[in-house]
Amino acid sequence: QKEVEQDPGPLSVPEGAIVSLNCTYSNSAFQYFMWYRQYSRKGPELLMYTYSSGNKEDGRFTAQVDKSSKYISLFIRDSQPSDSATYLCAIRDRSNDYKLSFGAGTTVTVRA
Amino acid sequence: DAGVIQSPRHEVTEMGQEVTLRCKPISGHNSLFWYRQTMMRGLELLIYFNNNVPIDDSGMPEDRFSAKMPNASFSTLKIQPSEPRDSAVYFCASSRGLTQETQYFGPGTRLLVL
C-alpha cells in the first residue's frame, strides 16, 4: 500500500464549477500537508500547505485536513480554464521533515 | 530571482550511454533534492543534499545512478550506463533548509533512452 493515495482522474468540469480533490494517507505521523500544482511540461509549484486539522483558505482555494480520518482535500471555487493542471498532494512526517510523500496527482481540465 | 535552473531540458540518448543532468539551485538555498517522475510511479525522491552533503540516497534505484554537489550552486545526477527504463522527467528542487515546507522545483529534464 502506498503511503499516500490519490485518484489520478482525469477530472473535467465546466468553468465556474467547484473542483474537489482528495488524498488519503496511512502514516499517522504525517504532520505537514501540501498541495502542489503542476502545469503541463512544468515543475510542480506549491499551492498551499497546512499542518493542522481544519480548513485553510487562500482566495478561491481551500485546503481541508481531517487527521482523524487521514484524509485531505483541496477545493477550487469558481474554477477557471487557467486552473487546468495536475494537482498533487504531498505529505511530510515529523520524523522525516525533509521527505515529501507525493500522491499520484489528479489531472483537472476546466472547460470554457 | 531566477528559479531553479536545470539543463538540458530534453535529452535523447541510446541505451548504454552516460547521461548527466545538471541543476543550479536558488541562491541562498541550502537543501537540494532530485526527483524522478513517471506515469507509473509518480514523483519519487531519489536523493537530497543539505549544505552540499548527501543526506539520504535510499531512493536512488541502482548503482548506475550517482549524484554530486561540489558546491552550493551546482549539482549533477549521472546515469551510467543508461537503460530505456530510466526514461522519465527528472526534477531538481531546492529549499532554504531541510525543515522548510516549500521546495521550489525546476522545469525538469525530459530524458528518453532508446
Side-chain angles (χ1 to χ4, degrees), chain A residues 2 32 34 36 38 40-46 49 51 88 92 96-100 102-104, chain B residues 9-10 33 35 37 41-43 45 48 55-56 58 91 98-103 105-107 110:
Chain A
K2 294 183 69 175
Y32 293 94
M34 303 162 199
Y36 278 78
Q38 184 176 19
S40 180
R41 296 184 175 270
K42 301 286 187 182
E45 57 177 340
L46 182 65
Y49 78 89
Y51 51 86
L88 302 102
R92 196 166 68 181
N96 288 306
D97 303 42
Y98 35 79
K99 277 191 175 182
L100 292 177
F102 282 89
Chain B
R9 294 293 308 277
H10 303 273
F33 308 81
Y35 289 89
Q37 187 175 40
R41 301 176 67 89
L43 199 59
L45 177 65
Y48 60 93
I55 303 300
D56 187 342
S58 60
F91 289 102
L98 284 180
T99 59
Q100 294 299 309
E101 296 85 1
T102 305
Q103 292 183 15
F105 283 76
R110 195 169 292 269

Side-chain angles (χ1 to χ4, degrees), chain A residues 6-63:
Chain A
Q6 182 178 8
D7 186 343
L11 194 61
S12 179
V13 300
E15 184 175 357
I18 295 175
V19 176
S20 174
L21 307 167
N22 54 74
C23 291
T24 58
Y25 60 95
S26 56
N27 187 350
S28 58
F30 282 143
Q31 188 177 37
Y32 293 94
F33 308 91
M34 303 162 199
W35 285 95
Y36 278 78
R37 178 175 60 193
Q38 184 176 19
Y39 289 115
S40 180
R41 296 184 175 270
K42 301 286 187 182
E45 57 177 340
L46 182 65
L47 194 59
M48 295 184 72
Y49 78 89
T50 183
Y51 51 86
S52 58
S53 283
N55 295 349
K56 181 178 181 178
E57 284 194 20
D58 184 0
R60 296 184 295 109
F61 298 88
T62 299

Side-chain angles (χ1 to χ4, degrees), chain A residues 46-84:
Chain A
L46 182 65
L47 194 59
M48 295 184 72
Y49 78 89
T50 183
Y51 51 86
S52 58
S53 283
N55 295 349
K56 181 178 181 178
E57 284 194 20
D58 184 0
R60 296 184 295 109
F61 298 88
T62 299
Q64 190 175 79
V65 175
D66 182 347
K67 289 188 178 180
S68 63
S69 302
K70 300 189 183 67
Y71 191 88
I72 66 171
S73 302
L74 178 71
F75 300 98
I76 307 174
R77 292 184 300 279
D78 188 24
S79 57
Q80 305 294 311
S82 58
D83 295 326
S84 298

